[in-house]
Structures are given as C-alpha cells and as structure tokens.
Amino acid sequence: MRVLALCLGILAYVAGLPVAAAELGDDGLHKQPWFTDSFLEMADDLAEAGAEGKDLLILIEQQGCPYCRELHEVNFARQQIVDYLQENFMVVQLNMFGAREVVDFDGEALEERDLTVKWGVNFTPTVVIFPSDASDTSSARAAEAFRMPGYFKPFHFLKSLEYVTSDAYQSQVFQRYLQDVFQQMEEKGETPDVW
C-alpha cells in the first residue's frame, strides 16, 4: 500500500496536480497560511489594508463546500494567484454560517451568519473586495468595489483581482474589461487559459 501511495504521489507531482487536499481548520473551512487573523472589525481591517498599500478581500466560505475546496486546491495552488493576492490584498476569511462576532462598516456588531445575510451573500465561495481608497465606507454596499458570487476559475479569478487593483471597476463593467483583456492578448498572439 505504501508503494502504491508513493507512486500516486509521484504521479500527481509529475502531472502538476495537488498531492494533498487543502488543510481544514477546526471550523471545517480550508485555510491558507497567508490569510489575515483579524479582529473582524471591517472598518479597521480596511484601514489596516490601506496602511499596507493593499485592498481588503473578504472570502466567505462554508463547511463542506466543494467549490470552496476547488478555490483552494486549484486557484490557490497557482503561485501567480497567491503572489498577486499577497502583494495586493489583505485576505480575511468568514464562515457563512459562523458565530464569530463581526463589526460591520456601519458599526453594527453581529455574527458572521447574520453579516452574510445583511451583505446579501447567497453562494460560497463569495469574494467581496473593498478598495483601500473607498470614498464611502458608511456601509459594505457603499464601500464594495467588486463581488465574485461563487467559484471563478483561475483566469477569471485573477482578472477579477486585476480589475479592482487597476481601478478599471470605476470606469467599466467587468465583462467589458474582460473583452479588452482578450483583445490585448489576441493582439499579442496569446490564448487565454479560461478553462
């Protein structure tokens, strides 16, 4: 059995597949070592991210979510995505059905599960990005720059991050931004790996 496991591990490594599943925390959520351990005070987290020259990315997941696992085992297995996240975002993870207290941008203290309802989160994973230079932080809706409702494959996930960090979200919708990216890639003779 050990030989078989070793052979499968080597085969997965050679094929570029993840050898092991993403690590699960005590709450059943997948964990990354570069997630921020926050006091869950959204206005303070945004200010802290801004002080580091970053935007705030809130990742909302739930236990047993296959698309959350996919995000960790596929997207977060790509060094380009992880490097981009670490360079440009402070990442805070929330549990869609969790009971930890969170202080929303408007000062209201409520449990994670109530915050996700308030924010209108219906799918996991959901990524909500708040730019450090948000002009209105009186509420999450006012401060929010972009939202990924559900799993985005690696190409679209990375382009979503770039859409916010480039400030393109201020002047065009995401689909138009993607069309421009595809056109620029085509002009360079590049083919996007969208699947």
Side-chain angles (χ1 to χ4, degrees), residues 118-151:
K118 181 179 177 182
W119 284 9
V121 174
N122 296 308
F123 308 100
T124 56
T126 289
V127 172
V128 186
I129 302 175
F130 302 97
S132 59
D133 62 352
S135 59
D136 184 357
T137 58
S138 61
S139 71
R141 286 284 184 199
E144 181 181 317
F146 189 70
R147 179 181 294 220
M148 292 181 239
Y151 175 66

Side-chain angles (χ1 to χ4, degrees), residues 5-6 12 21 29 41 78 92 100-101 118 125 135-136 175 191:
L6 179 62
L29 302 184
E41 296 180 1
R78 294 185 180 213
V92 175
R100 294 181 301 169
E101 183 177 271
K118 181 179 177 182
S135 59
D136 184 357
Q175 291 297 25
T191 304

Side-chain angles (χ1 to χ4, degrees), residues 23-31 63 93 95:
E23 185 178 324
L24 288 176
D26 293 339
D27 57 2
L29 302 184
H30 298 84
K31 303 296 178 185
Q63 182 178 1
Q93 183 184 52
N95 183 342

Side-chain angles (χ1 to χ4, degrees), residues 16 32-34 71-88 154 157-158 161-162:
Q32 298 294 334
W34 40 269
L71 178 67
H72 288 265
E73 292 183 355
V74 176
N75 296 29
F76 295 163
R78 294 185 180 213
Q79 197 60 48
Q80 180 185 17
I81 290 175
V82 172
D83 289 346
Y84 198 84
L85 280 165
Q86 289 181 298
E87 183 178 330
N88 296 287
F157 186 87
L158 181 58
L161 301 176
E162 293 170 356

